[in-house]
Amino acid sequence: MSDASLIPIRFGGLCLNMKPYFFEKDKEKIKYVDVDINFKNEVLYRFQLRTQVEPIDTQSEGQHSTDVEGEMYLDLSLEKIIFEGFYYENGKLKGPFWLEVDPNSEYSEILSNFDPPTVDCPEYPASVGTLAISITPPTPAVESTSNNDSSQMGVTIKVIQLEPTTDMKTGNSGETTYLLTTLYQNNRITGVDTTNKDEKHFPDFSGDVGIIRNRAYVDGHLKLGGKSVSGIYLEMGI
């Protein structure tokens, strides 16, 4: 796959790389997508997504610290890449996920003019490039006899960016926390923005985070150098 692929999206140790190609007459419509799904340096799936529904089950390739089972397809408008299913950690079901990517037809030009920082994102539950999203399992907000009342369960969400600067003492890359909050059912935070003129991110994110239907979600845009590269919507079961 070309280096000018869409910004890598990770579920723990799994990495999803996608490079969309667009129709010449209607550059909003996706013609096809080259897809790689890797675990560390091992290629688990490599295919070209067109009009088919592509089944994905990384467990069939051997158990990994993170596995996903589901399917990938283009939506009916041919403008979005959708990946839905369930994710597992060390063989244990963690919950459902829904990933929706709406790439900008000019993304490859923007990527070719952008030099990404040489930092590796840690294995958070989900990450996009150097943007990491940490979702802490729910804990009771108050003592209650109704432990099944999900509205009383707080979920801690953390959004960070790894920075290209290095800690001289530890040698580790720096990180900046842009959001650290505990949310409850049907709560959301709007206007999260990791743009920083002093640091070059790969990518920046602007949008909302919240909790709906017992899932944590991130909904917004990925940006490089201030320009939108792609819309993104991610739900993960909690």
Side-chain angles (χ1 to χ4, degrees):
M1 181 178 293
S2 167
D3 290 337
S5 62
L6 200 64
I7 299 162
I9 297 173
R10 298 180 183 85
F11 294 87
L14 287 174
C15 184
L16 170 64
N17 288 287
M18 300 176 291
K19 183 178 180 181
Y21 294 82
F22 298 84
F23 287 98
E24 292 184 8
K25 292 185 178 180
D26 188 346
K27 293 188 177 181
E28 296 302 316
K29 305 292 185 181
I30 299 171
K31 187 175 182 180
Y32 63 91
V33 186
D34 285 339
V35 179
D36 276 2
I37 299 178
N38 306 312
F39 181 77
K40 300 185 184 295
N41 295 321
E42 179 188 5
V43 178
L44 302 180
Y45 285 88
R46 177 169 289 162
F47 58 89
Q48 197 170 86
L49 184 66
R50 290 181 179 267
T51 58
Q52 83 276 21
V53 175
E54 191 73 26
I56 307 293
D57 183 2
T58 64
Q59 297 175 106
S60 65
E61 307 296 325
Q63 185 172 311
H64 311 96
S65 56
T66 306
D67 278 300
V68 295
E69 178 186 9
E71 54 191 26
M72 185 179 293
Y73 53 92
L74 300 179
D75 77 326
L76 294 178
S77 71
L78 299 181
E79 295 180 0
K80 298 178 181 179
I81 306 164
I82 296 175
F83 188 17
E84 62 168 316
F86 298 90
Y87 71 103
Y88 301 78
E89 291 182 6
N90 299 313
K92 182 179 180 181
L93 177 65
K94 297 296 290 184
F97 72 90
W98 176 283
L99 172 65
E100 196 171 284
V101 179
D102 185 0
N104 187 313
S105 60
E106 299 178 351
Y107 87 96
S108 58
E109 179 182 346
I110 298 172
L111 278 175
S112 65
N113 294 318
F114 192 88
D115 183 24
T118 55
V119 294
D120 293 322
C121 202
E123 293 186 0
Y124 276 68
S127 65
V128 183
T130 57
L131 171 75
I133 304 159
S134 175
I135 303 171
T136 303
T139 54
V142 295
E143 291 186 8
S144 172
T145 57
S146 178
N147 293 327
N148 295 323
D149 183 1
S150 60
S151 66
Q152 299 298 314
M153 305 296 280
V155 178
T156 300
I157 298 180
K158 182 179 181 182
V159 177
I160 71 165
Q161 278 281 6
L162 266 70
E163 309 291 5
T165 53
T166 302
D167 187 313
M168 298 301 292
K169 293 182 179 180
T170 64
N172 296 327
S173 298
E175 66 176 51
T176 300
T177 299
Y178 285 86
L179 176 70
L180 177 58
T181 187
T182 299
L183 297 178
Y184 302 95
Q185 200 66 227
N186 299 320
N187 284 170
R188 69 172 179 162
I189 299 290
T190 61
V192 180
D193 193 340
T194 70
T195 304
N196 186 338
K197 294 181 180 179
D198 297 325
E199 301 284 7
K200 184 180 289 187
H201 297 146
F202 186 70
D204 281 308
F205 168 80
S206 63
D208 308 337
V209 301
I211 305 294
I212 188 171
R213 300 188 300 274
N214 289 319
R215 300 184 186 186
Y217 73 84
V218 178
D219 183 12
H221 292 272
L222 305 178
K223 301 183 296 182
L224 292 177
K227 295 183 178 180
S228 176
V229 176
S230 176
I232 186 169
Y233 180 79
L234 171 66
E235 282 187 7
M236 296 187 74
I238 53 175

